[in-house]
Amino acid sequence: MKVIQLIGLFTLLPYLALSQEVQITNIQMKGQDMIINYNLIDERIDRSYSMHLYTSLDNFIQPVEKVSGDVGVDISVGANKTIVWNVKDELETFNDGIKVEIKGQVYVPFIELDGVEEGMILKRGKITDIRWTGGRGDNILNVDLYQGDKLVRGLGELPNTGDAMLKIPNNIPPGKNYRYKISDERNRDEVVFSPTFEVKRKFPLLIKAGSGITLGVFGYYLVKSLIPVNEPDISSPPFPEQ
């Protein structure tokens, strides 16, 4: 496979400035994966971007899908960014030279999410009330539970009513770095991630174990108390013979 490197491009008409740039620094193949390194440059370090990878296979019309790393929405400004494209999963075969291109635009959340704070603890089986503003009235929102960049569970669809009650399923493993992903069913670029939170059990394991021991001991004494006991004969001794 021959890969031709292209400089990344911004589609930033409202924000066009010479200080904004994507620099593709390296492309290499590792097994079935294409590894693309790039720098995302902006003098406003508080800005974030939506970044997608395109190829010449369809004349740079649709972004590739089997990608991970610094790609998608809410990508922060900085150097040493990496996109990993799983070519085998995306394409059946191709032998010709391929050109790649990174396109980006300033990320503007389509809704403003509230109700989840960074580092908060959510317990399995309990309901969390989340709220949001923005979006179109006819939006259908998809809600997914992620741990880092890994999809854990789809939580269903919501109408754009501005609030919802979400419950962490009971079989989700406890852990940190969980977050909600809320996206518009009709537009793949309209995505919002919540702050990360921790998932814990509804009841700690020690409490569960302690309850079992207490019940076991109580049951033991209860059963023991029901067992008949043969008490020794302590009647009065016979009178002495005359």
Side-chain angles (χ1 to χ4, degrees), residues 63-98:
V64 297
E65 296 182 352
K66 305 298 182 179
V67 287
S68 59
D70 298 305
V71 64
V73 301
D74 204 10
I75 305 300
S76 60
V77 173
N80 302 317
K81 304 292 183 181
T82 301
I83 296 176
V84 180
W85 177 29
N86 192 313
V87 180
K88 182 180 178 181
D89 285 354
E90 185 90 27
L91 308 171
E92 293 182 0
T93 57
F94 71 95
N95 299 315
D96 296 331
I98 179 173

Side-chain angles (χ1 to χ4, degrees), residues 33-51:
D33 293 334
M34 180 185 293
I35 314 296
I36 303 160
N37 302 110
Y38 72 96
N39 299 329
L40 179 53
I41 300 171
D42 191 327
E43 62 183 5
R44 287 274 304 276
I45 61 173
D46 60 329
R47 231 177 233 157
S48 61
Y49 288 84
S50 296
M51 306 298 295

Side-chain angles (χ1 to χ4, degrees), residues 10 12 15-22 41-42 47 49 106:
F10 274 128
L12 291 177
Y15 301 93
L16 191 58
L18 296 176
S19 59
Q20 298 165 333
E21 185 181 359
V22 177
I41 300 171
D42 191 327
R47 231 177 233 157
Y49 288 84
V106 171

Side-chain angles (χ1 to χ4, degrees), residues 23 46 50 59 64 71 162 167 184 218-219 236:
Q23 298 173 341
D46 60 329
S50 296
N59 200 26
V64 297
V71 64
K167 183 171 71 172
D184 188 332
F218 176 75
S236 300

Side-chain angles (χ1 to χ4, degrees), residues 129-142:
D129 184 27
I130 66 167
R131 299 167 299 280
W132 66 90
T133 57
R136 299 185 305 271
D138 61 345
N139 282 107
I140 299 298
L141 307 178
N142 293 319

